[in-house]
Amino acid sequence: MAPTLDAPLKTGAVIGILGGGQLGRMLSVAAARLGFKTCVYEPAGDCPASHVANFHMHAAYDDVQALERFARSVDVITYEFENIPTSALDILENLRPIRPNREALRISQDRITEKDFLTSLGLTVAPYANVESAADLDAAIAKIGTPAILKTRRFGYDGKGQARIKSPEDAAQAWVDMADAPSVLEGFVDFTHEVSVIGARSADGDVACFDPGENVHRGGILHSTTVPATLTASQRMDAVLLTANILNALDYVGVMGVELFVTRGGLIVNEIAPRVHNSGHWTQNGCAVDQFEQHIRAVAGWPLGDGVRHSDVVMENLIGDDMDRVEAIARESNAALHLYGKADVKAGRKMGHVNRIKKG
Ligand code: AMP
């Protein structure tokens, strides 16, 4: 039997976080503000979360002894990314509660499983088909048509592991790009814009959603999130209710990001992420309780906090050379800088973000 948390965690309890990137860093800061300690498990040495967490377990995901030591030194385990190896979870789940639960991870680790699940809830997703060979891809294109996008079923992020198919002639090259990885063909959605909802569910089953944010991507990577998003009242309601539907169906505990395409025919779910989400960073300066604290509260068995938006915010990611602008941004009024402490600037690497408050 997997262990459970029977009572809310008290000050001084240790929250274990799998993954030591910027999300783990901001989760650690939020945990510290509530009096918790954090232990980050991350194979890379000088990682963003290690600068602020109490403990850093610097070990690989196949190091059984390190995983056991980590689990025994924490009260509850959470994570900042969804692609945690199943073998590591098998070890951890026998020792400490994992929040959000493994079912949420299982579903979100595979794009087909995720789309099947969302469809089973009555939600709309892009037309999709499983592709495991060049012949499958031809058949999928015949069924779905073009334009379409071929994506690896697993391990994709920030637009990686994706190939656009404008016409059937692009199929052969697209399949080569996937390097034989099981994939999904998705029909291209003719959306007007993209929004996301950051939802939270407590261990008691209470659900609270942050105001939807409007997302702009550049080169497959999130560039900015603006709140409030351009949505009608009924679209806003729909976005929040479908997020609650997903959270409840999974008996979820923690924060989840739900990415949506806004089309003339309604909202289409692009993908779900069982963790705090880049498009929720605006909450740090737009709400009394941000997504990181909300997640820590949920994971610790606490009640959810007040995530009502008090300000309009535009969040801009600082990627690669955007770091050259930090000095100028630091002089702006109403701009809150959040830098991740990454030593090396690389093209496409998320180095930090800025939240510009538009209205007090
Ligand atoms: P993803 O990694 O699935 O979130 O895709 C990254 C970005 O590619 C999305 O935010 C969209 O801008 C675009 N995209 C992904 N899937 C589709 C689709 N089926 N139709 C149109 N655009 C898409």
Side-chain angles (χ1 to χ4, degrees):
M1 261 287 282
T4 53
L5 263 194
D6 297 326
L9 293 184
K10 294 202 170 65
T11 297
V14 185
I15 296 178
I17 302 173
L18 297 167
Q22 61 267 21
L23 300 179
R25 176 184 177 100
M26 293 183 276
L27 284 169
S28 297
V29 171
R33 277 199 285 111
L34 296 181
F36 297 121
K37 297 191 168 108
T38 50
C39 178
V40 166
Y41 195 102
E42 166 61 56
D46 181 30
C47 62
S50 69
H51 306 163
V52 300
N54 299 80
F55 314 103
H56 173 200
M57 186 93 38
H58 180 184
Y61 282 109
D62 59 2
D63 184 336
V64 176
Q65 283 180 346
L67 287 166
E68 287 178 352
R69 254 198 346 272
F70 167 75
R72 291 207 168 87
S73 66
V74 304
D75 295 286
V76 66
I77 296 171
T78 189
Y79 44 87
E80 61 142 30
F81 73 117
E82 52 272 43
N83 292 318
I84 304 153
T86 308
S87 55
L89 295 167
D90 287 342
I91 294 165
L92 298 172
E93 79 169 352
N94 288 316
L95 297 169
R96 289 294 182 271
I98 301 178
R99 287 178 165 173
N101 61 37
R102 281 199 69 178
E103 180 64 358
L105 273 173
R106 187 185 70 79
I107 285 174
S108 60
Q109 281 182 342
D110 183 315
R111 290 187 191 269
I112 295 263
T113 315
E114 182 175 299
K115 288 181 196 303
D116 288 347
F117 163 72
L118 294 167
T119 306
S120 77
L121 296 182
L123 305 178
T124 311
V125 299
Y128 64 100
N130 187 28
V131 172
E132 293 185 21
S133 66
D136 281 356
L137 181 54
D138 290 340
I141 290 174
K143 184 174 141 205
I144 289 172
T146 54
I149 303 188
L150 189 63
K151 303 178 181 178
T152 53
R153 284 176 63 163
R154 299 170 71 88
F155 305 123
Y157 71 100
D158 284 349
K160 293 191 171 60
Q162 301 194 5
R164 302 255 165 145
I165 299 181
K166 294 202 184 79
S167 66
E169 293 77 65
D170 297 339
Q173 184 57 48
W175 180 243
V176 170
D177 290 349
M178 294 300 110
D180 281 338
S183 300
V184 56
L185 185 75
E186 282 184 30
F188 198 81
V189 176
D190 183 18
F191 57 80
T192 54
H193 54 292
E194 295 179 75
V195 300
S196 57
V197 179
I198 309 300
R201 189 170 179 276
S202 72
D204 291 338
D206 288 337
V207 172
C209 293
F210 291 99
D211 204 10
E214 185 165 334
N215 300 324
V216 173
H217 291 83
R218 287 188 185 165
I221 304 179
L222 184 68
H223 165 66
S224 64
T225 303
T226 301
V227 281
T230 315
L231 290 172
T232 63
S234 75
Q235 285 171 330
R236 196 172 297 270
M237 180 70 78
D238 193 17
V240 166
L241 288 179
L242 75 82
T243 301
N245 187 355
I246 296 168
L247 293 170
N248 286 329
L250 290 169
D251 193 18
Y252 194 86
V253 176
V255 161
M256 169 182 279
V258 178
E259 295 183 29
L260 303 166
F261 297 131
V262 184
T263 74
R264 283 172 227 297
L267 301 177
I268 293 180
V269 186
N270 174 24
E271 62 181 10
I272 61 175
R275 54 172 168 79
V276 286
H277 198 258
N278 192 169
S279 67
H281 291 358
W282 67 268
T283 60
Q284 291 171 308
N285 301 96
C287 307
V289 171
D290 67 19
Q291 64 162 346
F292 301 101
E293 177 173 338
Q294 204 71 303
H295 186 77
I296 294 294
R297 282 171 172 251
V299 164
W302 284 31
L304 298 178
D306 180 356
V308 172
R309 179 174 59 79
H310 58 62
S311 302
D312 295 359
V313 184
V314 179
M315 187 285 308
E316 182 196 345
N317 269 335
L318 301 175
I319 297 169
D321 291 345
D322 289 341
M323 287 301 279
D324 296 344
R325 292 194 283 119
V326 161
E327 211 183 303
I329 295 169
R331 294 177 201 283
E332 289 180 28
S333 52
N334 282 325
L337 261 175
H338 300 260
L339 302 179
Y340 307 150
K342 294 182 184 176
D344 301 323
V345 178
K346 286 189 198 146
R349 191 170 203 206
K350 291 175 180 169
M351 306 298 296
H353 64 274
V354 53
N355 285 330
R356 295 189 172 91
I357 298 164
K358 297 296 176 186
K359 196 176 72 186

